[in-house]
Amino acid sequence: MRIWLDGSLRNAEDARVSVFDHGLTVGDGVFETVKADHGRAFALTRHLERLATSARGLGLPAPDLDEVRRGCEAVLDANPMPLGRLRITYTGGESPLGSDRGDAGPTLVVALSATTRRPDTTAAVTVPWTRNERGALAGLKTTSYGENVVALARAREQDATEALFANTVGALCEGTGSNVFVVLDGELHTPPLASGCLAGITRALTVSWAGAKETDLPLDVLERAEEIFLTSTLRDVQAVTRIDGRQLSDGPGPVTAAAMRIFDEQSAADIDPR
Ligand code: PLP
């Protein structure tokens, strides 16, 4: 496996990042996960823009997006595979223990792993922990994913693949690695960005391609939703057919199935949608 580290391609086993990297010691980093179909990255421009937004939010120096793009393309060319998952990680860089971020400059890593298409349906659970929509990291894609790791473990214990959070005022927010959509009285809704959710790229495309209202929703809307689905780079549009043990259906409902179809068609036609 060839990866990109700070300006050049290297063998993954030879690439070294300092054990004092601020991303490792305090989670001072941002990242992106990008899907690549036969070496072609999907929505790369949007991912690069979000990387820059997250970096700005964390106070990191602005990433050189031309270099990040070059790194992604070099890694994709060096490791051909049918369906890949690019991981861009950009951190505060090497910094003496116990100190603030040092002067050594940020670390950039672009790596790739093979992946497979996710199933069309899954199960999800709600968790008792909240997303802080007023927190400093709200809406940023930082490497501080500990809360998501804990919540996802709770989901796995219940044979589910996603855990859904409310925010501090009890409104539906998002999953550990996905945005959430619900169908109520036949209409498609998703929480607004003000709920504290990540500005998911699949979410934005689904809102515009499938048409969805951005609505403040209480968490318990999940108890009466006719359909629920998740969106993310690796899931695309994925139906939730069981929520907190309640079986909604055996397969994607009609609104979800339409959203899946539109997403597949549009994303096949436009690899880098604006
Ligand atoms: N919310 C969180 C917390 C995420 O980590 C992700 C993706 O990783 C998403 C939502 C979905 O975003 P996207 O569609 O850009 O993958």
Side-chain angles (χ1 to χ4, degrees), residues 65 69 85 94 110 114 120 128 134 140 166 174 181 217 226 249:
L65 296 186
R69 185 183 285 276
R85 165 202 188 126
E94 187 169 3
V110 182
D120 282 350
R134 287 169 293 133
L140 305 181
E174 66 175 348
F181 288 69
L217 302 160
E226 292 131 42
S249 59

Side-chain angles (χ1 to χ4, degrees), residues 162 177-181 190 200-204 206-207 229-238 263:
E162 187 54 305
S178 64
N179 293 104
V180 58
F181 288 69
T190 193
I201 289 166
T202 325
R203 170 192 180 280
T206 304
V207 165
F229 66 77
L230 306 174
T231 60
S232 80
T233 292
L234 296 177
R235 294 174 191 263
D236 294 334
V237 175
Q238 187 182 47
F263 190 85

Side-chain angles (χ1 to χ4, degrees), residues 123-130 150-152 154-155 158 160 162-166 170-176 180 218-223 228 240 242-246:
V125 298
T126 53
V127 285
W129 308 295
T130 52
V150 171
L152 193 56
R154 175 66 65 91
Q158 298 171 68
E162 187 54 305
L164 297 173
F165 292 93
L172 179 62
C173 185
E174 66 175 348
T176 65
V180 58
L219 184 67
D220 65 9
V221 81
L222 298 174
E223 293 168 17
I228 302 171
V240 173
R242 183 164 51 86
I243 179 79
D244 287 333
R246 175 171 80 93

